Every structure is written in C-alpha cells, then in structure tokens.
C-alpha cells in the first residue's frame, strides 16, 4: 500500500497520512450536512409556528 505523507502543517494537526486526512474530511462533510439539514428543519418549524400564531391572532380578532 502506497501511503502519501502529509505536509508538516497537517502533521501538527494529527494527520499521519493523506488517507487519514481524507477520511476525516469525509466525516466532517457528512456531519456538516447533517447539521445543515437539522438547521433547515428548525427554521421551517419556526416559520410554521410563527405563521400559526399569526393566523390564530387574526382569527381571534
């Protein structure tokens, strides 16, 4: 197996090989996508909640 060395800067961050660096990058991208998805759901829920409250106030008046 041919393992490429990483630059000293990346070694200081704890990566020992390019493969290790790519693995962590994939994990980061997957987690970021999950967080972005959850943030979108929360934003939609807030919008729906505020719309519901506004409709309820209008109905009461």
């Amino acid at each position: 197996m041919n393992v490429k060395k990483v630059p000293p800067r990346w070694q200081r961050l704890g990566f020992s090989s390019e493969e290790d660096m790519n693995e962590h990058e994939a994990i980061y991208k997957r987690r970021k996508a999950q967080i972005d998805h959850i943030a979108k759901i929360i934003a939609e829920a807030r919008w729906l909640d505020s719309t519901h409250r506004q409709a309820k106030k209008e109905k009461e008046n």
Side-chain angles (χ1 to χ4, degrees):
M1 184 169 143
N2 187 10
V3 177
K4 294 182 180 179
K5 287 285 192 179
V6 293
R9 177 176 161 224
W10 292 104
Q11 283 179 340
R12 285 193 300 271
L13 294 173
F15 300 113
S16 58
S17 68
E18 190 171 322
E19 183 180 279
D20 189 30
M21 199 168 65
N22 291 338
E23 182 182 331
H24 284 278
E25 181 182 19
I27 292 168
Y28 168 79
K29 286 181 179 181
R30 201 168 41 248
R31 287 182 181 164
K32 184 178 181 328
Q34 290 171 339
I35 290 168
D36 290 346
H37 180 70
I38 291 168
K40 181 181 174 187
I41 291 170
I42 291 169
E44 289 173 353
R46 285 182 179 161
W47 181 84
L48 288 172
D49 189 45
S50 67
T51 304
H52 175 73
R53 283 185 195 157
Q54 184 178 6
K56 191 175 178 182
K57 282 182 181 179
E58 290 174 1
K59 187 177 179 182
E60 290 173 354
N61 293 334

